[in-house]
Amino acid sequence: MWRAAVAAKAPAWAVRRAPARRAVSVAVTPAAGLADERVDTRVAGLGPGQPVTLRAVASDERGCLFQSCAHYRADGRGELHLGTDASHGGDYTGVEPMGLFWSLAPAGMERPYQRLVPRSTGIPMKVEMLVHRGHSQSGAIHGPVMAKAEVERWFTAPGVRRIRLKEGGVRGSLFLPPGEWGPASARNGGHRGRPCSRAAPKAARGQSPSSGDAAPCRSAAQARAGASGVGGS
């Protein structure tokens, strides 16, 4: 009885309350960058050991939907870091910092075996990163969304010039970095309509990349001296 009376007279500040849990958040850095640039993905505000599904969703310029997912468990502090924490299921397993990006595949309602490649290097690909409660498989109904963020993946940079190549049987695109550049490294591009998603970002850095199944029409030493990116048109 007397204990109850003392508790009733205790000031409000003396009553202990459980600390409020932080809101769940997902941070992807950089939020905008070149398509071949590695990103750092972290989730905070979860419960210790809480199971979640991380999902990436993107669409191409035709509106085709691509998605991927992976299963994770928060550490003792309620945090996740895709650079060090392993996926336990979904579209890949193990420590894969860029797994949600390279495992993107057409959603169940889309035509299979399509590739997520840009038709225009001047438009960024937007990828939505979502954190779902619990573990769920691709194509299944996912749990409630706890947090989300959007990432822009650019395929070129300001100042990069694109010159279309068409000479005899050669088809391609020459990407010239901004500022000074060395001799161009022309390539024989045999694939009409081949995307430039690899050559353009490298040209943005002043590098000299090839683009896939292309054979150099100059010597290797000359190609290394160049500072231009060449890709299929």
Side-chain angles (χ1 to χ4, degrees), residues 90-219:
D91 293 324
Y92 62 90
T93 57
V95 179
E96 295 286 351
M98 297 297 294
L100 289 172
F101 291 88
W102 61 251
S103 64
L104 281 165
M109 76 290 290
E110 304 290 355
R111 180 168 54 86
Y113 309 119
Q114 298 186 74
R115 295 179 60 197
L116 181 57
V117 292
R119 298 292 174 178
S120 171
T121 57
I123 301 176
M125 179 179 70
K126 296 183 178 181
V127 182
E128 189 173 33
M129 309 288 284
L130 304 105
V131 181
H132 294 268
R133 188 187 305 276
H135 289 164
S136 52
Q137 299 294 335
S138 295
I141 298 177
H142 297 280
V145 175
M146 307 176 71
K148 61 182 178 180
E150 187 175 79
V151 185
E152 287 188 353
R153 308 289 281 170
W154 287 85
F155 295 92
T156 188
V160 173
R161 291 179 294 153
R162 178 179 183 178
I163 301 175
R164 294 189 180 276
L165 305 177
K166 183 178 180 181
E167 183 67 30
V170 176
R171 298 292 185 273
S173 291
L174 175 66
F175 292 90
L176 302 181
E180 296 295 328
W181 55 280
S185 173
R187 307 275 174 169
N188 292 325
H191 299 284
R192 186 181 301 273
R194 185 179 179 83
C196 309
S197 56
R198 285 177 291 180
K202 292 185 178 180
R205 296 189 175 92
Q207 299 176 6
S208 178
S210 62
S211 178
D213 305 324
C217 57
R218 302 195 311 150
S219 69

Side-chain angles (χ1 to χ4, degrees), residues 46-50 73-79:
L46 299 169
Q50 182 174 356
R73 284 189 179 275
D75 62 14
R77 297 175 299 177
E79 298 177 354

